[in-house]
Amino acid sequence: MCISIACRGTCANHGDSHGPASAKPSAPQPAVTDTPALQTEPAQTDNPPATQTAETPAPSDGIPLVVTEGDMNAVMARLEQLKTLPSDKTIILLDVGHGGFDPGSIGLDTGVREDELNLQVARFVAQKLGEKGYYVFMTRMGSYAVAETKNEDMRLRKEFMKLDIFDAAISIHMNSYPDDRSVDGTRLFYYKEGTKGQTLATIILDEICKATGQRNRGTNSGDLMVVREPVAPSALVECGFISNANEERLLANSNYQEKLAQAVADGVEKFFNSDT
């Protein structure tokens, strides 16, 4: 995703938003917002179907806090599983940008794909959130697209985001500005000024820059689908510029990815503990 100082395209479309449908129950019972049901054919993928993998131990209810591997059937099964949780459980939606036929931005030196970096970072973020006791739902858990076409991909992601079972929504992307490869740093987006989404974005950005030492490019409001559609407070994390030689190298480094992910998780926890 490349929407920093010059908007060079984004996967966040600008269609009309819809009101919530209802989801988080007081006990069982799910809820949906934006569209009634989440029934779809699994996306095609070159990868063989993966089995679900819990990265953190399951609590007493038997539902894993974190699952980071699986095909789209596993993604949908995970969603139905999380809908059964009582309302006092904290669930984070982790939107993993691009995938499959939609690689996003491409690293100029190494050819690394944004969609693969997004997945790698998101898996670390999920693990760190799980370690803090949060349940996590990932919009994709492998190197595939969420659906077979871009429009269907965005439609299904929107359906996920409009569910009211989530307490926060984080979208993971990489930035790119090939016209000036010196541009670097981390930037976050939220939907509107004065909202909890702005608070969430500000706190996460502070934690990332404090942990990584990267340039703070600030937070901005934007009419972007990934921050506009979620019912929960939401933030788009542009982790860095893969058009910048140094950041391209850093963002592909697993140690740096883990450090970045820890900062995102710490920011989410700080947000929940703050007086918003």
Side-chain angles (χ1 to χ4, degrees):
M1 186 184 239
C2 358
I3 52 175
S4 191
I5 52 178
C7 290
R8 303 182 59 80
T10 168
C11 72
N13 66 24
H14 298 263
D16 294 334
S17 65
H18 305 280
S22 118
K24 199 159 189 176
S26 305
Q29 259 333 356
V32 190
T33 51
D34 186 76
T35 48
L38 289 175
Q39 296 179 345
T40 181
E41 292 298 317
Q44 297 298 313
T45 170
D46 294 330
N47 297 336
T51 55
Q52 289 183 314
T53 302
E55 302 294 345
T56 54
S60 57
D61 55 28
I63 298 177
L65 291 166
V66 175
V67 179
T68 62
E69 295 181 14
D71 60 12
M72 278 306 294
N73 287 323
V75 170
M76 302 305 288
R78 172 66 172 167
L79 182 64
E80 294 306 313
Q81 189 180 55
L82 293 174
K83 286 181 181 180
T84 67
L85 291 171
S87 59
D88 62 345
K89 302 300 183 182
T90 301
I91 310 175
I92 312 298
L93 183 149
L94 197 54
D95 177 51
V96 187
H98 304 284
F101 62 80
D102 177 19
S105 299
I106 305 295
L108 298 179
D109 292 332
T110 66
V112 64
R113 292 165 50 120
E114 179 190 352
D115 61 333
E116 288 301 314
L117 293 182
N118 293 341
L119 180 61
Q120 292 161 13
V121 171
R123 281 175 169 161
F124 276 123
V125 173
Q127 291 167 9
K128 301 303 181 182
L129 289 170
E131 289 168 5
K132 293 179 181 294
Y134 302 133
Y135 291 84
V136 180
F137 171 72
M138 295 173 64
T139 55
R140 67 180 177 93
M141 301 190 293
S143 301
Y144 46 79
V146 171
E148 294 182 2
T149 67
K150 186 63 176 178
N151 285 342
E152 279 299 296
D153 182 287
M154 302 310 292
R155 182 193 64 77
L156 187 54
R157 287 177 196 264
K158 183 188 290 188
E159 289 190 17
F160 291 147
M161 292 171 184
K162 297 298 287 186
L163 288 167
D164 65 7
I165 63 171
F166 301 115
D167 298 280
I170 309 294
S171 189
I172 301 295
H173 283 264
M174 305 292 149
N175 221 328
S176 181
Y177 190 57
D179 289 353
D180 183 353
R181 297 197 65 190
S182 69
V183 175
D184 62 358
T186 305
R187 170 172 285 182
L188 268 74
F189 288 82
Y190 55 90
Y191 182 36
K192 288 184 177 180
E193 300 283 340
T195 61
K196 290 183 179 181
Q198 181 181 12
T199 303
L200 176 64
T202 301
I203 293 174
I204 291 176
L205 179 61
D206 288 345
E207 291 297 313
I208 290 175
C209 294
K210 183 169 60 177
T212 66
Q214 293 304 102
R215 184 190 304 272
N216 185 328
R217 288 206 164 269
T219 60
N220 292 85
S221 61
D223 186 22
L224 306 169
M225 189 270 278
V226 295
V227 290
R228 183 188 65 230
E229 296 300 333
V231 174
S234 56
L236 163 61
V237 182
E238 293 280 7
C239 298
F241 286 79
I242 61 174
S243 53
N244 176 277
N246 181 57
E247 288 194 351
E248 179 181 354
R249 176 183 57 79
L250 279 176
L251 290 165
N253 180 281
S254 61
N255 291 330
Y256 183 81
Q257 291 172 356
E258 186 170 10
K259 181 186 293 187
L260 177 67
Q262 184 67 64
V264 173
D266 288 346
V268 171
E269 182 179 49
K270 191 172 180 179
F271 167 76
F272 285 134
N273 291 334
S274 67
D275 180 11
T276 57

